[in-house]
Amino acid sequence: MPPLTTKAASRQPSAGGSHAAKTAVQQTTARVREMHQTIATGSFSVLRRLPLLGGPARLVQIVHDGIVGGVYQAIHLTSGVLLDAAAVIEERRLRQAPAQEPGRLATRAHSALNGVFGDHLAATDNRLAIAMTLRHQGTALPLDGGSLRAALPDTGRRLCLFIHGLACDESSWRPRSTAAGAAEVDFARQLQADLGYTPLHLRYNSGLPIDRNARELAVLLERLIAAWPQPDSEMIIVGHSMGGLVAIAACGHAAATGMNWPQATRMLIGLGAPQLGSPLERFGHLVTSALQASKVTLPLARIAAARSQGIRDLRQGPGAAQAHPTARHIAYRFLGGSLAEDVEHRFGRLFGDGLVTLGSATAQAIADDVQTAALGRLGHMALLTDARVYRQISRWVAALDDPPAAAADDRVLAPACAATRPVGRDCVPGASSSASDP
């Protein structure tokens, strides 16, 4: 089977952390110099118009500009020399050191860096750019049949893919507490224990455009399903935030291009996926536009505008999810959170889970098998581990095997929740419960 090739992976990375630091230092220095120059020019312009001060002001400005220019040039050259030397040392250490997985803190920092500047890292072939991989228990999976069977010797037909959101990695799905009775759950382990789904995680560069990540994911999943050890495999996908958008777009791309893996996909679950965009990124766009209105703050606007395309894609979102005609068998489930206890409260509707509104998280334009749910007292990142979220996911997934039982369960729950259930949404136990509930 031919290897997966992408623009980021088709060339040997030629730069690392030192090169990224050099770019950051020099670009920041340039922006500070621009702001300094703008402020100084404005001040000297005023002084030159004052009687008796015009000549002295010009002389002082000449001296000022010469000194300041020399200082900033010295910073630029010195940082370049030092960080170029660091890059040589970094390159030698990488060649000598054995390959090993970095620690959890380093991985999280790496993922956060990719979330903010990942498109730039990929465009410059920087080795810090994350390559998309499927992972199991922290290890990247090979996608040829023999190696995959060796890596997953006891796997069954069912698999579940978890996709993280912006600036995160697969460790974001791990609960902080695993004690019995804790309000957090490791969705991957619990779903495997309860329903027999082999858990896989996707790691990807979340700073790249959502469409590009979706296309890479579509190719990756085509290889995965073709190499899966068990025939007639079944897959469900759970995507958090941006991960949900990537999954939806990947399904659409795969179905439109005639790939096979959508036929093995039974359900796609989006947790806080901002289909109509995120208010936070829209606010960031407004701030950037406001900074561009003044020459003094224009350098700050350039710094703000350097955020990744992945972030900017969240401004408006892709729009309400729609199913491709050839993938209408896939069940779509959308769950949103609200900081308010009552999901119908105006505060809850306005702020949602703190990053994504309920309307954006549960939007859909699908006429087939689609359900939505809302949970109160739930922040955006808590969607990854909250026990109530897992209960809803497990109900949805279990219903794939026993729809009548699930329908009966819904009828039992309906009377108790009829007063608080939002129109068009599932009733979720605990959505309007007291703070003492798990």
Side-chain angles (χ1 to χ4, degrees), residues 89-318:
I89 298 172
E90 179 185 11
E91 185 69 26
R92 290 178 178 175
R93 291 187 62 182
L94 286 171
R95 290 175 181 174
Q96 296 172 358
Q100 58 182 2
E101 287 289 326
R104 184 171 178 176
L105 180 60
T107 299
R108 286 185 169 182
H110 188 196
S111 299
L113 179 66
N114 273 256
V116 180
F117 303 114
D119 53 348
H120 172 76
L121 295 175
T124 56
D125 294 328
N126 194 296
R127 65 171 56 90
L128 291 177
I130 293 174
M132 184 178 286
T133 52
L134 291 167
R135 309 179 75 84
H136 178 69
Q137 295 181 350
T139 303
L141 286 176
L143 293 184
D144 61 90
S147 300
L148 194 59
R149 279 191 293 272
L152 301 170
D154 302 320
T155 189
R157 293 174 51 246
R158 296 175 165 181
L159 62 146
C160 179
L161 175 64
F162 293 88
I163 308 177
H164 63 75
L166 175 69
C168 293
D169 63 89
E170 63 275 11
S171 68
S172 60
W173 295 95
R174 300 176 197 164
R176 288 168 294 181
S177 173
T178 56
E184 293 184 315
V185 175
D186 187 323
F187 294 176
R189 292 184 179 182
Q190 200 63 42
L191 201 62
Q192 184 175 30
D194 293 346
L195 299 171
Y197 282 85
T198 299
L200 304 179
H201 290 87
L202 184 75
R203 182 185 292 184
Y204 66 102
N205 181 348
S206 58
L208 292 175
I210 290 174
D211 182 67
R212 175 172 169 180
N213 276 323
R215 291 172 182 272
E216 289 190 22
L217 176 59
V219 175
L220 205 62
L221 291 181
E222 186 75 351
R223 294 179 60 198
L224 173 69
I225 294 301
W228 194 252
Q230 299 295 333
D232 301 322
S233 56
E234 297 180 1
M235 179 169 62
I236 60 175
I237 302 174
V238 182
H240 173 251
S241 195
M242 178 187 283
L245 303 184
V246 171
I248 294 169
C251 280
H253 174 72
T257 55
M259 293 185 180
N260 296 315
W261 67 265
Q263 300 307 313
T265 305
R266 300 196 64 189
M267 180 176 286
L268 191 157
I269 301 173
L271 305 178
Q275 298 170 78
L276 304 183
S278 168
L280 187 61
E281 166 53 19
R282 286 196 287 271
F283 176 74
H285 176 68
L286 289 174
V287 170
T288 303
S289 299
L291 291 172
Q292 291 173 337
S294 168
K295 291 182 179 180
V296 174
T297 57
L298 183 58
L300 294 178
R302 289 173 179 159
I303 294 175
R307 64 191 184 279
S308 70
Q309 184 60 49
I311 294 177
R312 285 180 281 178
D313 281 350
L314 299 177
R315 186 186 314 155
Q316 301 299 333

Side-chain angles (χ1 to χ4, degrees), residues 395-410:
R395 284 182 58 225
W396 278 336
V397 175
L400 292 172
D401 295 327
D402 194 1
D409 188 27
D410 286 341

Side-chain angles (χ1 to χ4, degrees), residues 413-431:
L413 289 169
C417 300
T420 59
R421 179 175 57 195
V423 176
R425 296 194 182 121
D426 283 347
C427 175
V428 181

